[in-house]
């Protein structure tokens, strides 16, 4: 093995570096082995990361057992759930790029030979995958696993989103304050990523489909002993990747990215994947655009359903066979020769995998539906694209037309819903919430949950240049590009304008004449930026549009 770490650890020139390591207890024997960086996003603020120190110890054990030397460093990670519905959500998506940048900086500064990425949640996992693709070193991702579900409420096991739905029911007088408090105490019974198929679990499943996590590992619950076993196995696997010189871009490439899109589509994953896949592809130097996402999604059967599209949660999905069972149903449309972190191809990994039931995971011959869980729409309201999730939309709302009720911020819209200003049949428009306008492209999570809790989720559509949580259901369309802050058509919508949503026809139309829109454009002026300092200010100046993954470009091409 040619170890780049040895270039800065050989005697006598680099004896000073050896001295730095020895001051922390490393030995001569340690410094002769591959130096494996461990990017650990542990914290006591993110439930999905609360157990990562235990996971990290298991990874270290595997690394040492296989003949490597683990070196751990910290990575930031914010909790989407805690940030939902207030100013903090504007900071969430921008953390993704900070995570990628910080890992790159640390790994390159210290010249590690390989990297193990420890993260479980929404922006942390894609940020880590972006870093792996950018660095192109041997890399593997290990997540902390999902939390268990709570007691059964309204036909499904409770989870953290049950609370905001409960707030809507409390507002209608359907439950008491005490009942809401009991829900608060029981809906999240332990640590882990949230037990529904939100962005966190979608991205962990996507990482496995990419070939960047060990087969079957994505949805092992946080409290299962198998979570520590697979962490230790991942520690051993990274040394095998170093020995074989299997770097990240041998795994993250055109073939595996197509496989990942197929998987997300087949399980009805979060719409946020449509932001993160282009960003990961950019770092891997793979040509990718949002239309590819749509083509693959529409050509992939929906073979798995779970909350928010069904009552099953991700623990049920894991017990039904998880990612390998789904991918084994898709082999006829997958690139099965794609390389994975096992050092084997996808086809080799999938041998013998199938689902033991036909409830959570169905066959490709008899799927839940013939097309996948995500769709890209275009039209006069979204010339560059918009994203929706048919798997989470009631069939009667796949085609919806109604008058616009327009709000220039998430906060205004949430208050309007609570005040009863939004009526059945309306198309709720929330704008100036894109990457630049938000800034930070916050999720319209709370608005959708309030509509659900108030019994209007099947009667009101929501369109926005912001984005959505993977837990949302109802008729929603996000990621509208161009965004309002850049003068996109969504900035010109007025109360009462008719908006047509037709998911099957891939249409999102503002039923206003081009002449009238031209008149409105003459008087439109971009609002003053919400933020004038700090990282959000920088992000608002540098971020690309949502159809390009809201990335910050970091190379000259």
């Amino acid at each position: 093995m040619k170890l780049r770490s040895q270039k800065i650890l050989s005697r006598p020139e680099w004896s000073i570096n050896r001295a730095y390591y020895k001051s922390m207890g490393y030995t001569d024997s340690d410094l002769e082995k591959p130096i494996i960086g461990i990017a650990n996003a542990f914290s006591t603020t993110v439930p999905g990361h609360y157990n990562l120190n235990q996971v990290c110890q298991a990874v270290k054990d595997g690394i040492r057992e296989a003949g490597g030397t683990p070196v751990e460093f910290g990575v930031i990670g914010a909790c989407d759930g805690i940030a939902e519905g207030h100013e903090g959500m504007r900071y969430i998506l921008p953390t993704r790029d900070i995570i990628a940048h910080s890992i790159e900086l640390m790994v390159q500064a210290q010249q590690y030979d390989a990297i193990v990425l420890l993260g479980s949640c929404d922006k942390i996992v894609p940020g880590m995958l972006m870093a792996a693709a950018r660095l192109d070193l041997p890399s593997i991702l290990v997540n902390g696993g999902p939390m268990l579900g709570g007691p059964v409420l309204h036909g499904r096991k409770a989870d953290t989103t049950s609370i905001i739905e409960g707030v809507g029911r409390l507002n209608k007088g359907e439950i008491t304050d005490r009942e809401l408090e009991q829900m608060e105490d029981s809906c999240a019974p332990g640590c882990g990523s949230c037990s529904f198929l939100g962005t966190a679990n979608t991205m962990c499943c996507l990482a496995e489909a990419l070939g960047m996590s060990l087969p079957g590992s994505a949805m092992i619950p946080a409290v299962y002993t198998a979570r520590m076993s697979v962490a230790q196995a991942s520690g051993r696997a990274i040394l095998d990747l170093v020995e074989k010189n299997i770097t990240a871009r041998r795994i993250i490439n055109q073939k595996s990215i197509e496989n990942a899109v197929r998987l997300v589509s087949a399980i009805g994953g979060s719409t946020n994947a449509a932001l993160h896949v282009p960003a990961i592809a950019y770092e891997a130097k793979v040509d990718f655009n949002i239309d590819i996402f749509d083509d693959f999604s529409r050509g992939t059967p929906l073979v798995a359903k779970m909350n928010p599209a069904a009552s099953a949660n991700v623990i049920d999905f894991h017990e039904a066979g998880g990612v390998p069972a789904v991918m084994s149903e898709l082999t006829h449309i997958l690139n099965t020769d794609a390389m994975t972190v096992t050092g084997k191809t996808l086809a080799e990994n999938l041998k013998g995998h199938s689902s033991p039931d036909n409830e959570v995971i169905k066959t490709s011959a008899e799927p839940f539906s013939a097309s996948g869980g995500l769709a890209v729409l275009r039209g006069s309201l979204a010339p560059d694209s918009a994203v929706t999730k048919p798997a989470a939309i009631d069939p009667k709302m796949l085609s919806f037309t109604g008058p616009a009720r327009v709000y220039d911020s998430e906060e205004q819209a949430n208050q309007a819903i609570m005040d009863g200003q939004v009526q059945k049949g309306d198309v709720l428009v929330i704008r100036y919430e894109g990457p630049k306008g938000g800034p930070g492209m916050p999720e319209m999570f709370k608005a959708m949950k309030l509509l659900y809790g108030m019994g209007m989720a099947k009667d009101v559509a929501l369109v926005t240049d912001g984005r959505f949580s993977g837990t949302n259901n109802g008729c929603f369309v996000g990621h509208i590009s161009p965004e309002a802050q850049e003068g996109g058509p969504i900035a010109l919508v007025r109360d009462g304008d008719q908006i047509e949503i037709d998911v099957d026809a891939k249409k999102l139309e503002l039923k206003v004449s081009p002449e009238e829109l031209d008149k409105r454009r003459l008087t439109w002026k971009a609002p003053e930026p919400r933020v004038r300092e700090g990282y959000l200010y920088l992000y608002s100046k540098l971020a690309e549009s949502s159809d390009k993954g809201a990335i910050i470009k970091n190379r000259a091409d």
Side-chain angles (χ1 to χ4, degrees):
M1 293 180 288
K2 292 183 178 180
L3 301 176
R4 70 176 194 161
S5 63
Q6 292 306 305
K7 294 178 181 178
I8 64 164
L9 290 174
S10 58
R11 292 189 179 102
E13 182 180 4
W14 301 109
S15 288
I16 186 171
N17 289 356
R18 299 176 69 88
Y20 286 135
Y21 272 110
K22 287 182 175 180
S23 73
M24 297 179 283
Y26 291 92
T27 66
D28 283 326
S29 177
D30 291 330
L31 300 181
E32 293 168 2
K33 299 171 183 176
I35 306 297
I36 312 299
I38 303 177
N40 185 0
F42 162 80
S43 75
T44 59
T45 197
V46 183
H49 291 185
Y50 187 76
N51 66 336
L52 286 183
N53 276 349
Q54 292 173 288
V55 172
C56 186
Q57 185 56 55
V59 169
K60 289 178 180 177
D61 291 344
I63 290 171
R64 288 195 179 278
E65 180 184 337
T69 298
V71 179
E72 178 188 354
F73 62 93
V75 177
I76 67 164
C79 179
D80 280 52
I82 293 174
E84 290 287 5
H86 58 83
E87 190 67 17
M89 179 46 67
R90 304 187 189 284
Y91 290 82
I92 291 293
L93 179 59
T95 67
R96 182 194 67 179
D97 293 81
I98 287 288
I99 290 163
H101 299 329
S102 64
I103 293 173
E104 176 201 5
L105 292 170
M106 190 69 177
V107 171
Q108 296 295 62
Q110 308 303 313
Q111 292 291 288
Y112 300 134
D113 297 304
I115 186 164
V116 180
L117 305 158
L118 305 187
S120 305
C121 290
D122 299 49
K123 308 305 168 291
I124 298 91
V125 172
M128 288 180 163
L129 292 172
M130 290 164 65
R134 187 186 304 175
L135 289 163
D136 195 26
L137 293 170
S139 308
I140 191 168
L141 186 135
V142 186
N143 72 65
M147 69 173 66
L148 301 180
V152 175
L153 291 173
H154 303 284
R156 76 169 199 259
K157 290 180 181 178
D159 55 61
T160 48
T161 67
S162 302
I163 294 293
I164 191 63
E165 293 166 6
V167 171
R169 289 196 287 271
L170 179 69
N171 194 57
K172 292 179 67 179
E174 293 179 356
I175 63 172
T176 65
D177 288 337
R178 179 57 185 152
E179 286 174 312
L180 186 66
E181 289 173 15
Q182 290 173 335
M183 196 183 301
E184 180 184 312
D185 292 339
S186 62
C187 70
C191 73
S193 53
C194 299
S195 61
F196 44 77
L197 188 62
T199 305
N201 292 325
T202 295
M203 294 309 299
C204 290
C205 290
L206 183 146
E208 184 178 328
L210 270 177
M212 287 296 291
S213 296
L214 291 182
S217 67
M219 292 295 98
I220 299 172
V223 296
Y224 283 19
T225 56
R227 174 51 58 195
M228 298 305 147
S229 296
V230 82
Q232 189 177 106
S234 298
R236 294 192 294 270
I238 193 66
L239 268 297
D240 189 51
L241 293 173
V242 171
E243 183 175 355
K244 295 176 179 176
N245 194 31
I246 298 176
T247 62
R249 286 187 203 159
R250 287 188 60 190
I251 297 171
I252 305 175
N253 51 40
Q254 187 77 45
K255 289 181 178 181
S256 67
I257 288 172
E258 290 176 358
N259 289 343
V261 172
R262 295 279 192 193
L263 183 278
V264 170
S265 302
I267 65 175
S270 168
T271 53
N272 282 315
L275 278 176
H276 301 320
V277 171
I280 295 166
Y282 171 79
E283 299 294 353
K285 298 186 178 180
V286 171
D287 288 334
F288 188 91
N289 62 57
I290 199 68
D291 291 319
I292 296 173
F293 207 109
D294 185 62
D295 291 343
F296 275 79
S297 182
R298 291 180 185 269
T300 303
L302 183 67
V303 299
K305 263 195 175 185
M306 61 207 93
N307 184 15
S311 59
N313 63 19
V314 296
I315 312 301
D316 300 318
F317 174 64
H318 173 68
E319 292 174 353
V323 172
V326 170
M327 297 190 82
S328 69
E329 290 296 330
L330 304 177
T331 52
H332 60 292
I333 54 174
L334 294 178
N335 299 305
T336 56
D337 59 340
M339 178 58 66
T340 73
V341 290
T342 64
K344 300 177 181 178
T345 65
L346 178 63
E348 293 174 298
N349 290 345
L350 292 180
K351 286 180 180 177
H353 285 282
S354 62
S355 178
D357 66 30
N358 193 35
E359 296 180 12
V360 181
I361 301 174
K362 292 188 176 293
T363 65
S364 59
E366 296 182 349
F368 287 102
S369 65
S371 60
L374 300 181
V376 176
L377 312 184
R378 293 182 189 272
S380 56
L381 189 57
D384 290 345
S385 72
V387 178
T388 189
K389 184 176 177 179
I393 301 176
D394 187 277
K396 74 174 186 178
M397 295 191 74
L398 291 172
S399 179
F400 189 98
T401 300
R405 191 166 293 273
V406 184
Y407 299 94
D408 288 347
S409 73
E410 176 195 8
E411 293 81 5
Q412 289 179 13
N414 290 344
Q415 191 60 53
I417 296 169
M418 295 292 285
D419 291 345
Q421 295 177 21
V422 179
Q423 303 296 314
K424 290 184 178 181
D426 285 344
V427 177
L428 178 60
V429 178
I430 307 178
R431 63 190 180 191
Y432 296 107
E433 295 290 12
K436 295 180 181 295
M441 203 179 179
E443 292 179 346
M444 304 300 107
F445 165 89
K446 191 171 184 179
M448 290 301 300
K449 291 300 178 183
L450 288 172
L451 289 171
Y452 181 92
M454 296 175 73
M456 294 194 292
K458 294 184 180 181
D459 298 287
V460 173
L462 195 161
V463 300
T464 180
D465 53 5
R467 56 193 179 88
F468 291 98
S469 165
T471 70
N472 285 134
N473 53 18
C475 185
F476 59 86
V477 183
H479 306 204
I480 289 177
S481 300
E483 63 175 285
Q485 190 71 26
E486 293 192 310
I490 191 173
L492 308 177
V493 182
R494 294 180 181 174
D495 283 339
D497 289 346
Q498 291 289 308
I499 293 176
E500 177 190 7
I501 302 166
D502 191 328
V503 176
D504 290 335
K506 304 186 183 184
K507 291 198 305 184
L508 181 60
E509 300 288 352
L510 175 60
K511 310 298 268 187
V512 175
S513 71
E515 293 77 16
E516 173 61 21
L517 290 179
D518 287 341
K519 289 180 183 178
R520 294 181 188 182
R521 193 170 282 108
L522 290 174
T523 60
W524 175 81
K525 183 180 179 181
E528 290 297 311
R530 284 194 177 103
V531 178
R532 291 183 170 276
E533 61 185 11
Y535 182 66
L536 277 190
Y537 174 77
L538 292 175
Y539 184 82
S540 71
K541 298 299 182 185
L542 297 174
E544 295 288 308
S545 63
S546 59
D547 64 299
K548 295 179 175 61
I551 61 170
I552 294 175
K553 286 189 174 181
N554 56 63
R555 59 177 185 261
D557 58 6

